[in-house]
Amino acid sequence: MNGLMPVGESDYTDTDFQRVQRIAQAQAGIHLPATKRALVYSRVSRRVRELGHASFRTYLDFVQAPGGEGEMEKLVYALTTNVTSFFREKKHFEHLETVVVPRLAANIAAGGRGRVWSAACSTGQEPWSIAMSIMTAFPDAAAHDMRILATDINADVVARAAGGVYPDEETEGIPAARKAQFMESCGDGDYRFAGPIGRLPAFRVLNLNASWPIRGTFSAIFCRNVVIYFDEATRERLWQRLSDRLEPGGFLYVGHSERVSCATQCGLTQVAPTIYEKDD
Ligand SMILES: C[S@@+](CC[C@H](N)C(=O)[O-])C[C@H]1O[C@@H](n2cnc3c(N)ncnc32)[C@H](O)[C@@H]1O
């Protein structure tokens, strides 16, 4: 015990769960089915306790009252899952290195720019993996107009991603030669990305279900393991908006359990189970 009063199951009612369901949907497009009732309790009760509330009801009243905006953000963060890893779904990175990076290099050689978007970047393993892939296949990428936009709704994970520092055990998925090339030891068991690779990613807070202050199109978009939390209508809206942000011949990578249900209407062709190409 940490000295705080426990918040028991009796302080968490169906009405409270329904309020959290509405908040998650309105704030982030996150759909919480009834099966998530216990998960919500375990994720949110800690914040209820830490803020000194005896029940979910008074906590939610506080969150929804004027002045509760900061805690509203923390509540939404508590409802999201941030699990990620370096080079998750290796095939995407092989495809990126062999198909997309040569195009990026050709675009740049022709006087254009190179743009890739990691659209739910969590703590940064995805955009830093993209950066390592680009630097490996196109070693002087950082000397050109090549950028990886890395965004997430959660400001806390975006700050961690931007720091680019990871405990040694979290770097397991990085091949040894790449780790040696792109990271340096912090001397305390952590490793950080160092050198020109640091110029590639640009980290921003962005809600995929709100407006996007983003200009231009991308050669590739990674939107992986996030739409599983959205309902079908929200997913379809998002697929269309992402497709609109791809250049012709650009690629959309989705999570291993995700599919673009409206691919044809969205102007996308499935070229592998979780890879879609934007039509010309
Ligand atoms: C499971 S992680 C996926 C990370 C990475 N894309 C991967 O596949 O390893 C899901 C991320 O989606 C983010 N997320 C959830 N709802 C979001 C929204 N409406 N807009 C932007 N990001 C969102 C969460 O904060 C979380 O970091």
Side-chain angles (χ1 to χ4, degrees):
M1 279 296 289
N2 55 10
L4 297 170
M5 286 294 288
V7 177
E9 292 276 2
S10 60
D11 304 310
Y12 173 55
T13 64
D14 285 346
T15 308
D16 297 328
F17 175 58
Q18 285 153 12
R19 282 177 81 179
V20 176
Q21 280 179 310
R22 283 195 295 274
I23 289 172
Q25 185 70 50
Q27 297 289 320
I30 293 173
H31 171 64
L32 294 170
T35 51
K36 295 278 167 76
R37 191 185 188 283
L39 180 84
V40 165
Y41 174 77
S42 73
R43 295 275 186 89
V44 180
S45 56
R46 208 173 118 235
R47 293 215 64 78
V48 177
R49 234 179 8 247
E50 282 176 357
L51 272 77
H53 290 277
S55 71
F56 269 62
R57 186 180 56 75
T58 61
Y59 170 76
L60 293 171
D61 287 348
F62 166 70
V63 166
Q64 293 189 301
E69 297 80 6
E71 183 55 27
M72 176 68 91
E73 284 181 3
K74 298 290 181 192
L75 170 59
V76 172
Y77 299 171
L79 298 172
T80 62
T81 298
N82 306 116
V83 175
T84 185
S85 54
F86 286 103
F87 294 105
R88 183 181 195 179
E89 294 162 51
K90 262 204 199 111
K91 280 195 175 358
H92 290 166
F93 295 92
E94 288 162 9
H95 185 272
L96 180 74
E97 287 174 33
T98 54
V99 179
V100 178
V101 178
R103 288 194 202 172
L104 291 168
N107 285 352
I108 286 171
R113 51 182 222 163
R115 292 290 182 273
V116 175
W117 183 12
S118 166
C121 70
S122 186
T123 41
Q125 286 85 340
E126 183 177 276
W128 286 111
S129 299
I130 296 169
M132 286 187 276
S133 285
I134 292 175
M135 292 289 283
T136 301
F138 179 20
D140 65 342
H144 298 281
D145 188 4
M146 174 69 236
R147 295 286 172 275
I148 301 156
L149 175 65
T151 63
D152 198 283
I153 195 172
N154 181 331
D156 293 345
V157 296
V158 170
R160 207 185 143 208
V165 176
Y166 299 90
D168 194 18
E169 60 274 16
E170 281 184 30
T171 66
E172 248 174 24
I174 307 177
R178 292 190 183 188
K179 185 171 169 185
Q181 184 181 355
F182 299 118
M183 301 188 92
E184 64 185 22
S185 168
C186 302
D188 57 1
D190 289 351
Y191 281 77
R192 69 171 152 249
F193 286 94
I197 193 170
R199 291 206 289 274
L200 294 188
F203 295 93
R204 306 271 181 275
V205 175
L206 183 95
N207 180 351
L208 286 171
N209 295 314
S211 62
W212 302 344
I214 295 174
R215 282 192 306 271
T217 55
F218 297 86
S219 296
I221 299 176
F222 285 68
C223 185
R224 309 187 309 163
N225 306 303
V226 58
V227 303
I228 34 170
Y229 305 110
F230 303 159
D231 62 26
E232 189 53 30
T234 307
R235 289 178 194 179
E236 289 194 5
R237 253 193 322 274
L238 180 59
W239 296 136
Q240 182 64 62
R241 294 176 74 199
L242 290 173
S243 175
D244 292 345
R245 291 306 177 129
L246 277 175
E247 65 190 25
F251 292 94
L252 171 67
Y253 301 100
V254 304
H256 63 282
S257 63
E258 299 166 338
R259 296 293 178 273
V260 179
S261 51
C262 54
T264 312
Q265 302 94 290
C266 291
L268 295 167
T269 300
Q270 192 175 25
V271 293
T274 55
I275 306 178
Y276 295 82
E277 183 172 6
K278 177 74 183 279
D279 300 339
D280 286 332

